[in-house]
Amino acid sequence: MSNILSTGLELLTQRIAIADPISVALQDTAPVAVVWMAIPFFVGFSGYLLPKFHRYLALGIALISLVYGLQQLWAPAPLTVQLLDRFGVTLFIDSLSGYFIVTNALVTAAVVLYCWQTGKSAFFYTQMIILHGSLNAVFICADFISLYVALEVIGIAAFLLIAYPRTNRSIWVALRYLFVSNTAMLFYLIGALLVYQSSHTFAFTGLQDAPTEAIALVMLGLLTKGGIFVSGLWLPLTHSEAETPVSALLSGVVVKAGVFPLVRCALMMEDMGPLLGIFGVGTAMLGVAYAVVETDTKRLLALSTISQLGFVLAAPAVAGFYALTHGLAKTTLFLISGNLPSRSFQTLRQTPLYAPLWTALAIACLSVAGFPLLAGFGAKVLTLKALEPWQAIALNLVAVGTAIALSKFLFLPVATQSKDAAPHAMHQSFWWAMVLLLGSLVVANGLHLEVYTVTEMAKALLILGAGCLVHLVLVQRLALKLPRMFERLEHLIGMMSLTLTALFWMVLT
Amino acid sequence: MSFLEACVFATVLCGFFGIILKKNLMMKIISMDVMSTGVIAYYVLVAARGGLFTPIASDVQPGSYADPVPQAVILTAIVIGFSIQALMLVGVMKLARDNPTLESSEIEKNNTP
């Protein structure tokens, strides 16, 4: 048996050696990348046998990813790894991947800290580590099949995390998520095959010579998975009904798994940029239009995630930084909103909040709204600079809308004395998570100091002021309820066919 | 070949419409299986474009080979699809305890806020 195994290994190494000149010249760092990608899966499964250490292992994995991601941010040249052959597994790691990996690491670390004293079972941490690992795999892979596998593993891990409380509702929400994502991935598979048929490779670069149907099908899969535009309307219910740490993970980093390949393709292919720009602006406006009139905290945050994904998609060149700031801020918001006394704004307006909790909430809100001194400001300025004029106008409006929506959090009453505050039962580790996330938001600010000009700062303050004003004058008194008809399962699946038709038409013209 | 291709796409579409139109949650999952069967068949069909023979090294030269790459890839997708289906059926089993009819619109109504 071992004989066969060793011959097999020998053959495999020979195969790698003769396959391609690139793989012969595997850079020194390539094995590091492969080992780093595999570690979460090994640790996740073997750690299941050591339930006592599971929290430490999860935190350790996140820290390893953090170090690796930070290192990639300043890597001089992108790393390309090609295993087996041109149809084999290809990895591509550059600073864009670095930003997403850092986001993933920080969000996972914060969520582990949040769960530290809540007595979650080893199963929960295993799923979290596997989710973390497969997200990392998405952020470094460069071919459609590795991407498919990673996305499906994400789907399974997310399903198990959402269904973890095992109530009827959580099972239904998880089932619905898997239904939508699996149907989308089937379309994606057809698209991937069409890419292979035209260029005999599954690498992202093959999309350049692919027929229009291939582009439309692949894009449909990724758009649905990433929760973008009308095909992403599964997102509000899923993210708002999941448990607090799970929805923080989902909103903070899991949706970015669908966006990242799109951004990567847009950077590789000139033609895809404008197409994604249209989708980005559409998503941003749709999400914010729903968010402004929403009366439920967690749903508002989920809808704001949709609109922020539009920003990420609209400017692929700075997508990494935007995703980082959004991931950090949104995770904070979800973790805090899970600890508020109620989910309805109406109730919250009558119960004063514990002051430190409100402060953390306000900092995260201000970052999403683009307030100077926080990383969200830099990300927003860079994004708006990278856009076409018509997009910039639309996204400035969306920025005002975001400020309006998040003002609902900013204007919640604060308790002046701690005994007035609503009862709070936060563990110490919760505050560590907050320190990690908010600290990173301030530190990440240092990555792009060049955006601090007087005009930009004035503009940001103006947008924020306008948002607060509109909120106080108008939205607070408004009682509008948008229909939720489009969020039913049949409609979500049916919407895919409409999106596909629209994509076809857009790609053809 | 184009006739087979049409059949494959008909299968995919049947599955897709089944997911939308079938009321029973179980039937929806089976429809999804039909759709994935169509996709798998399409991979096999495309792999067989160049020839039908299995690419195994031997002394006999049988002629044109089938492309092994799509077949190898779809094997992964079959396994993943299978495991997802198993997972979903477990979920449905749990739901069936309180909703014996498994009518998706009813379950949805009961479980959306």
Side-chain angles (χ1 to χ4, degrees):
Chain A
M1 183 65 198
S2 65
N3 208 359
I4 299 172
L5 205 67
S6 63
T7 350
L9 270 177
E10 224 166 76
L11 273 176
L12 194 69
T13 35
Q14 272 173 15
R15 182 100 186 88
I16 293 174
I18 54 170
D20 211 291
I22 303 171
S23 47
V24 175
L26 277 180
Q27 290 104 318
D28 308 334
T29 47
V32 179
V34 174
V35 168
W36 163 73
M37 195 182 77
I39 277 183
F41 300 104
F42 284 120
V43 172
F45 283 117
S46 56
Y48 198 37
L49 304 172
L50 313 160
K52 283 209 169 137
F53 302 104
H54 227 278
R55 299 178 296 185
Y56 299 96
L57 288 175
L59 199 60
I61 292 287
L63 291 180
I64 292 174
S65 287
L66 181 64
V67 171
Y68 190 81
L70 284 175
Q71 189 200 330
Q72 293 309 320
L73 280 188
W74 287 283
L79 166 68
T80 319
V81 184
Q82 202 157 20
L83 302 170
L84 294 177
D85 204 343
R86 63 186 162 73
F87 48 75
V89 176
T90 42
L91 306 177
F92 185 79
I93 313 172
D94 62 352
S95 65
L96 181 71
S97 319
Y99 276 116
F100 279 87
I101 293 166
V102 170
T103 316
N104 188 14
L106 287 172
V107 169
T108 312
V111 172
V112 172
L113 282 177
Y114 177 87
C115 296
W116 200 265
Q117 286 160 330
T118 51
K120 291 266 188 277
S121 66
F123 175 77
F124 186 83
Y125 288 104
T126 305
Q127 294 310 325
M128 211 147 83
I129 295 181
I130 288 171
L131 188 64
H132 176 86
S134 46
L135 279 165
N136 280 341
V138 167
F139 297 149
I140 63 173
C141 73
D143 68 292
F144 287 115
I145 293 306
S146 316
L147 182 65
Y148 168 77
V149 174
L151 285 177
E152 288 289 35
V153 176
I154 288 173
I156 293 173
F159 171 91
L160 291 171
L161 282 174
I162 300 169
Y164 181 74
R166 279 174 229 164
T167 57
N168 265 353
R169 176 175 291 182
S170 66
I171 290 176
W172 165 249
V173 169
L175 209 57
R176 177 174 170 274
Y177 168 76
L178 204 56
F179 236 114
V180 174
S181 97
N182 202 36
T183 312
M185 291 321 281
L186 286 175
F187 282 116
Y188 169 92
L189 268 181
I190 304 179
L193 182 65
L194 291 172
V195 171
Y196 180 80
Q197 206 177 11
S198 63
S199 55
H200 288 279
T201 171
F202 281 114
F204 284 165
T205 41
L207 208 58
Q208 259 150 349
D209 326 306
T212 48
E213 5 352 338
I215 300 175
L217 285 163
V218 167
M219 268 184 75
L220 173 74
L222 295 175
L223 287 175
T224 309
K225 193 85 190 174
I228 290 156
F229 208 47
V230 281
S231 48
L233 280 178
W234 55 266
L235 195 146
L237 182 73
T238 312
H239 287 195
S240 60
E241 292 310 316
E243 261 189 316
T244 304
V246 177
S247 50
L249 263 180
L250 288 178
S251 236
V253 64
V254 173
V255 280
K256 278 159 198 119
V259 179
F260 176 80
L262 287 171
V263 170
R264 176 70 90 207
C265 290
L267 287 176
M268 276 180 178
M269 292 169 53
E270 294 282 300
D271 321 347
M272 255 178 98
L275 192 66
L276 288 181
I278 296 171
F279 268 95
V281 172
T283 315
M285 297 188 98
L286 178 84
V288 92
Y290 268 92
V292 164
V293 294
E294 189 52 59
T295 52
D296 180 296
T297 50
K298 283 185 96 175
R299 262 183 76 84
L300 187 146
L301 292 176
L303 289 163
S304 144
T305 301
I306 296 189
S307 104
Q308 296 295 309
L309 285 174
F311 275 91
V312 176
L313 208 58
V318 287
F321 189 49
Y322 204 102
L324 174 67
T325 59
H326 169 252
L328 295 175
K330 199 43 71 66
T331 310
T332 321
L333 286 171
F334 263 112
L335 290 183
I336 296 175
S337 71
N339 283 296
L340 295 179
S342 162
R343 269 178 60 175
S344 146
F345 278 108
Q346 212 140 33
T347 326
L348 282 176
R349 282 202 197 102
Q350 276 130 33
T351 40
L353 284 181
Y354 181 50
L357 196 65
W358 182 85
T359 317
L361 187 67
I363 294 174
C365 280
L366 287 174
S367 173
V368 176
F371 186 75
L373 297 180
L374 294 162
F377 168 71
K380 211 154 243 171
V381 172
L382 286 174
T383 305
L384 290 175
K385 266 187 192 161
L387 293 175
E388 309 268 322
W390 70 269
Q391 286 179 319
I393 295 169
L395 285 188
N396 272 315
L397 281 176
V398 173
V400 177
T402 311
I404 298 173
L406 292 173
S407 302
K408 291 182 188 174
F409 283 106
L410 286 177
F411 287 101
L412 290 179
V414 190
T416 39
Q417 277 153 353
S418 58
K419 63 175 165 33
D420 300 340
H424 59 92
M426 256 84 69
H427 300 288
Q428 203 184 2
S429 61
F430 170 80
W431 295 108
W432 281 114
M434 290 296 116
V435 167
L436 176 69
L437 288 167
L438 298 176
S440 317
L441 266 182
V442 176
V443 172
N445 211 14
L447 288 172
H448 291 283
L449 280 176
E450 74 276 9
V451 294
Y452 282 91
T453 57
V454 179
T455 36
E456 293 298 346
M457 274 156 84
K459 201 175 124 195
L461 291 177
L462 200 69
I463 286 177
L464 197 62
C468 293
L469 200 69
V470 175
H471 167 76
L472 286 176
V473 175
L474 191 68
V475 179
Q476 213 171 18
R477 291 165 205 166
L478 206 66
L480 191 69
K481 223 163 167 62
L482 288 180
R484 288 193 192 172
M485 183 183 73
F486 293 110
E487 291 178 33
R488 287 176 51 191
L489 180 62
E490 282 92 359
H491 294 211
L492 289 174
I493 307 260
M495 204 58 89
M496 277 186 212
S497 58
L498 291 185
T499 318
L500 192 62
T501 321
L503 272 170
F504 255 121
W505 174 69
M506 281 164 79
V507 174
L508 279 176
T509 49
Chain B
M1 200 61 105
S2 61
F3 171 70
L4 282 177
E5 206 169 332
C7 288
V8 162
F9 282 120
T11 315
V12 171
L13 280 180
C14 275
F16 182 68
F17 286 120
I19 298 175
I20 301 176
L21 298 174
K22 284 287 175 191
K23 296 274 175 251
N24 190 309
L25 206 50
M26 202 75 175
M27 294 303 257
K28 272 186 200 290
I29 292 179
I30 292 174
S31 304
M32 208 175 73
D33 197 24
V34 170
M35 190 176 165
S36 76
T37 307
V39 175
I40 292 162
Y42 193 40
Y43 268 75
V44 174
L45 187 66
V46 166
R49 284 270 156 87
L52 291 172
F53 285 101
T54 326
I56 294 176
S58 70
D59 299 334
V60 194
Q61 290 294 325
S64 45
Y65 294 121
D67 189 350
V69 178
Q71 295 183 348
V73 161
I74 203 60
L75 204 58
T76 322
I78 291 170
V79 174
I80 292 175
F82 157 76
S83 50
I84 284 184
Q85 231 134 58
L87 208 54
M88 288 176 99
L89 288 175
V90 172
V92 169
M93 223 166 74
K94 291 262 181 196
L95 283 176
R97 200 170 294 166
D98 294 329
N99 307 275
T101 57
L102 280 180
E103 216 167 317
S104 63
S105 51
E106 278 303 307
I107 298 176
E108 187 152 44
K109 209 165 70 194
N110 293 340
N111 290 306
T112 17

